[in-house]
Amino acid sequence: MNLKKSLVAVTLLFSALILASCGNSSNTSSSSNSKNGTSTSSTKSGSYQVTGQTNSSQYAGVIKNGKYLTSKSRGVTVSQSSGNLMNLKSFEAGLQDISKNEFSTSKYIFQEGQYLSSDTVKNWLGRKSKSNADGLNPASNGSTTPTGRNPIYLQSMEEQDYVQKSGSKLKLSGITIGLAMNSVDYYRKTTYGAEYQTNISDATLEKEGKAMAKEVLARLRKKKGLENIPIVIAVYKQASNDSLVGGNFVSYSINKGNSIEKWKALDIKNVVFPLKSDESAPNSNDSDAFSNFKSEVENFFPNLSGVTAQAQYKNGSLQGMNVSVTTQFYSETEINSFTQFLADQAEKYLPSGVKIDITVSSTTDGVQSFLSRSSTAKSFSTHVFESY
Amino acid sequence: MNLKKSLVAVTLLFSALILASCGNSSNTSSSSNSKNGTSTSSTKSGSYQVTGQTNSSQYAGVIKNGKYLTSKSRGVTVSQSSGNLMNLKSFEAGLQDISKNEFSTSKYIFQEGQYLSSDTVKNWLGRKSKSNADGLNPASNGSTTPTGRNPIYLQSMEEQDYVQKSGSKLKLSGITIGLAMNSVDYYRKTTYGAEYQTNISDATLEKEGKAMAKEVLARLRKKKGLENIPIVIAVYKQASNDSLVGGNFVSYSINKGNSIEKWKALDIKNVVFPLKSDESAPNSNDSDAFSNFKSEVENFFPNLSGVTAQAQYKNGSLQGMNVSVTTQFYSETEINSFTQFLADQAEKYLPSGVKIDITVSSTTDGVQSFLSRSSTAKSFSTHVFESY
């Protein structure tokens, strides 16, 4: 449960306060926790609340005894994905997006995964071996050459629970599992030796992911409480470690029964602007628009360091852009003027009708300002980070 | 002018584009720049535009030949204030706030200082000496003891110009000068020697600042173009280097003639929450409110690193808060839930009717999310920084 014993006393002190503090909370059944200050509360009789929803496209999250209910496998995913943190962000956010197809944010509450423990996930992510019969990755074939060896296909996995209010309790109503598959498996022959890589084709990645999904579904159905709920399983392709954008989901299935029912293919592509010379964007208008924007912006100040963007396409059409502007140190008045200038130029040049975020960071002083426009808004809202 | 020669060719290429690109620009008189690619454009005949105003409480800024018109003393202020960057932000933003009393954002355009060059500012900030008759700081008296020496009173200064449209040109309509005075003068007896400090009382700081203001006004009045315009001079008290919040303005005067007309005292106080044991806030309700908020927030997650806030008071009443929440690494779903939780708790606990910003940063991964509420809004708007 990740409750540090030393915090329990504090927890108990403040739990009454917290129970009274959540506007959206209808699950504030009185707590039956042990009050001796040493035992952590039991799952069965704990008191639940939910966070507010700051907007209706976000899930409310589960608070238990005043603390956020963290994942039972917290940390495993992170350490597995540390090669490229953008994979982790894109994997988790993308998995929630897929979940929204089946579990609407108005009816379901998000709960960090409670059914797969760290140990379970670690075993599943390992190679199959005598000591690890549960390993989803193939047994070693003895080879250590990039093309001869059996690669690690499954790099990371995540469980997301979707729960609903039921009287004074929260009832599990669905689970989503994401399988993050390597497009490149990085490995070393000795602990501190050189890094080698085995490339994995899209076809192989998808085939292996779907096979693992079948096995994962079968295992989950055997767990108490998971026999009959909908289980969504999604296969994600991790970006390589040198990518400036995360990977993307390739396929998912919604399963009510014991075997995978049907895979739905996803056509999602992430690109980084400016494009490299050998790359192309699904829509060249977007890369031209970005180039024009970049030129205007780079020309504005003597010492601008860089303007790049992540863009995501779904079925060939642009979904949104995250623009990063990196600057030298600018004074407060310069940042103010620059931010207003960016709003003008972004409105003029960047594609309309999609969500656009622009973050201005200084190389020495972190995030300086920030602009954002939703897909339906016309103009950007801006914020300059200030200090008294 | 700060135009790098190597950029001039690029500037000329893009200037036509830029001239067409600024919606708010009514000053796009055609440029009479030399087109030989080597000369920088002259001040007299350059083509001006202005940035848009993203909100009416902000000044539009001046763009010249497609580039932001940077200050003629750019960089001097920064290097002088490097002891505590928060002083610089608060000094510049505070100086604009004072300017707004005299030069409204609807009628005036902000221009970075164009009348005091780097050399001039450097000389004025120096000690008076045989080789620097213009030094505003007192001549050395030979002593190097903290209490015996003549301290450096004036640490930094800034010129801000306020201009108005006049036909196809921008006409200077007012100047604001900020004098940033040391509350502590840090010095070394030898270049890499130990750092000593001379403390300067509030009364001395104000007296010295006002005397310098008199001299600065007299000097400015002798400059061509500055004979008759309103000149605002404001005295700022720098915070010490170990302060977690910047300093504050103590007094300012608006001058139409040749001598200082009248000083208006400012009652501004910055505090950092949580208060140290020997400190008090102008309103103890605010520090209690912050403590309650902090307790709730720190209890939510197992590994929260810290919750602090800057608060500013004017005439004893709270003007706003900048709250910083520092976290360990959180996953994307955790940041989403945490941000929603923060919105609830901030609305519940933090003082209403004032501007509040909350920034969530991870120690390893920079700014994660951000919440903001204007003084008139009821609920917080939130933004989680995402990555595709």
Side-chain angles (χ1 to χ4, degrees), chain A residues 299-314:
Chain A
N299 195 39
F300 186 70
F301 256 118
N303 296 308
L304 204 72
S305 299
V307 184
T308 61
Q310 299 179 329
Q312 185 167 81
Y313 288 86
K314 200 167 177 179

Side-chain angles (χ1 to χ4, degrees), chain A residues 2 4 7 11 14 17-18 20-22 51-54 58-61 63 66-68 70 74 78 85-86 88-90 92-93 96 110 112 160 245-246 270 295-296 299-301 303 310-312 319-322 329-334 336-337 340-341 343-345 348-349 355 357 359 365 367-368 370 372 382-383 385-388, chain B residues 4 7 11 14 17-18 20-22 51-54 58-61 63 66-68 70 74 78 85-86 88-90 92-93 96 110 112 160 245-246 270 295-296 299-303 310-312 319-322 329-334 336-337 340-341 343-345 348-349 355 357 359 365 367-368 370 372 382-383 385-388:
Chain A
N2 279 333
K4 293 240 172 89
L7 286 175
T11 309
F14 287 108
L17 270 175
I18 292 167
S21 76
C22 278
T51 66
Q53 280 174 287
T54 48
Q58 293 276 338
Y59 288 106
I63 300 170
K67 296 185 104 66
Y68 187 60
T70 54
R74 188 172 199 254
V78 176
L85 272 182
M86 278 178 287
L88 181 65
K89 285 207 166 197
S90 121
E92 290 200 318
Q96 275 201 333
F110 171 78
E112 303 274 350
Q160 295 182 344
V245 67
N270 296 332
S295 297
E296 294 297 327
N299 195 39
F300 186 70
F301 256 118
N303 296 308
Q310 299 179 329
Q312 185 167 81
Q319 301 298 297
M321 271 190 186
N322 296 325
F329 181 82
Y330 290 171
S331 77
E332 185 75 5
T333 54
E334 288 174 337
N336 273 327
S337 293
Q340 297 189 137
F341 176 77
D344 286 347
Q345 304 305 307
K348 181 168 177 62
Y349 289 105
K355 182 173 178 289
D357 284 359
T359 308
D365 207 27
V367 174
Q368 298 294 303
F370 156 70
S372 177
T382 65
H383 186 82
F385 288 87
E386 287 172 359
S387 174
Y388 288 122
Chain B
K4 294 239 173 89
L7 287 175
T11 309
F14 287 108
L17 268 174
I18 293 165
S21 75
C22 278
T51 66
Q53 281 174 286
T54 49
Q58 293 278 337
Y59 289 106
I63 300 169
K67 296 186 104 66
Y68 187 60
T70 53
R74 187 171 199 255
V78 176
L85 273 182
M86 278 178 287
L88 182 65
K89 285 207 167 199
S90 120
E92 288 200 318
Q96 275 201 332
F110 171 77
E112 303 274 350
Q160 296 183 344
V245 67
N270 296 331
S295 298
E296 294 297 326
N299 196 42
F300 186 70
F301 257 118
N303 296 308
Q310 299 180 329
Q312 186 166 79
Q319 302 297 297
M321 270 190 186
N322 296 325
F329 181 81
Y330 290 171
S331 76
E332 185 74 6
T333 53
E334 289 175 337
N336 274 328
S337 293
Q340 297 188 138
F341 176 77
D344 286 348
Q345 303 307 307
K348 182 166 176 60
Y349 289 105
K355 181 173 179 290
D357 284 359
T359 308
D365 207 28
V367 174
Q368 298 296 303
F370 157 71
S372 177
T382 66
H383 186 84
F385 288 87
E386 287 172 359
S387 175
Y388 287 123

Side-chain angles (χ1 to χ4, degrees), chain B residues 298-342:
Chain B
E298 287 181 338
N299 196 42
F300 186 70
F301 257 118
N303 296 308
L304 204 72
S305 298
V307 184
T308 62
Q310 299 180 329
Q312 186 166 79
Y313 288 85
K314 201 165 173 179
N315 302 323
S317 88
L318 185 66
Q319 302 297 297
M321 270 190 186
N322 296 325
V323 179
S324 290
V325 180
T326 312
T327 69
Q328 311 264 325
F329 181 81
Y330 290 171
S331 76
E332 185 74 6
T333 53
E334 289 175 337
I335 288 287
N336 274 328
S337 293
F338 185 48
T339 303
Q340 297 188 138
F341 176 77
L342 283 176

Side-chain angles (χ1 to χ4, degrees), chain A residues 25-95:
Chain A
S25 161
S26 60
N27 286 304
T28 51
S29 63
S30 69
S31 166
S32 60
N33 299 339
S34 157
K35 297 275 198 259
N36 63 20
T38 56
S39 111
T40 56
S41 58
S42 75
T43 309
K44 249 169 147 179
S45 57
S47 61
Y48 289 98
Q49 311 144 254
V50 294
T51 66
Q53 280 174 287
T54 48
N55 80 60
S56 59
S57 69
Q58 293 276 338
Y59 288 106
V62 177
I63 300 170
K64 193 181 169 201
N65 298 317
K67 296 185 104 66
Y68 187 60
L69 188 60
T70 54
S71 167
K72 281 217 175 175
S73 60
R74 188 172 199 254
V76 178
T77 310
V78 176
S79 61
Q80 292 293 325
S81 298
S82 58
N84 188 341
L85 272 182
M86 278 178 287
N87 276 328
L88 181 65
K89 285 207 166 197
S90 121
F91 178 51
E92 290 200 318
L95 196 60

Side-chain angles (χ1 to χ4, degrees), chain A residues 184-205:
Chain A
V184 182
D185 174 27
Y186 298 90
Y187 69 104
R188 294 173 200 278
K189 298 183 186 183
T190 56
T191 309
Y192 298 104
E195 189 178 73
Y196 295 85
Q197 55 186 68
T198 298
N199 295 318
I200 299 166
S201 72
D202 288 357
T204 305
L205 180 156

Side-chain angles (χ1 to χ4, degrees), chain A residues 161-330:
Chain A
D161 299 346
Y162 294 91
V163 301
Q164 289 181 305
K165 295 177 181 182
S166 166
S168 68
K169 295 214 175 128
L170 294 175
K171 185 177 132 282
L172 184 72
S173 304
I175 277 189
T176 302
I177 301 285
L179 302 175
M181 313 298 292
N182 282 324
S183 59
V184 182
D185 174 27
Y186 298 90
Y187 69 104
R188 294 173 200 278
K189 298 183 186 183
T190 56
T191 309
Y192 298 104
E195 189 178 73
Y196 295 85
Q197 55 186 68
T198 298
N199 295 318
I200 299 166
S201 72
D202 288 357
T204 305
L205 180 156
E206 197 167 340
K207 190 190 72 179
E208 295 290 338
K210 287 178 176 175
M212 290 176 189
K214 195 178 154 188
E215 177 64 25
V216 166
L217 180 62
R219 293 182 188 178
L220 292 178
R221 286 292 178 218
K222 288 179 195 152
K223 284 190 181 271
K224 191 166 152 37
L226 307 190
E227 298 89 347
N228 298 307
I229 57 157
I231 297 180
V232 176
I233 306 188
V235 176
Y236 176 82
K237 174 190 172 183
Q238 296 225 129
S240 61
N241 283 354
D242 59 356
S243 174
L244 296 176
V245 67
N248 54 276
F249 280 92
V250 295
S251 200
Y252 74 101
S253 63
I254 301 167
N255 307 288
K256 319 264 164 159
N258 286 330
S259 57
I260 299 283
E261 285 166 33
K262 189 176 82 184
W263 285 103
K264 297 190 189 176
L266 291 167
D267 175 13
I268 298 173
K269 187 171 157 61
N270 296 332
V271 298
V272 174
F273 294 127
L275 296 168
K276 290 181 198 154
S277 53
D278 61 339
E279 292 175 334
S280 67
N283 182 340
S284 67
N285 288 342
D286 299 332
S287 56
D288 292 348
F290 178 78
S291 295
N292 290 335
F293 172 76
K294 182 177 160 79
S295 297
E296 294 297 327
V297 171
E298 288 182 338
N299 195 39
F300 186 70
F301 256 118
N303 296 308
L304 204 72
S305 299
V307 184
T308 61
Q310 299 179 329
Q312 185 167 81
Y313 288 86
K314 200 167 177 179
N315 302 321
S317 88
L318 185 67
Q319 301 298 297
M321 271 190 186
N322 296 325
V323 180
S324 289
V325 181
T326 313
T327 70
Q328 311 265 326
F329 181 82
Y330 290 171

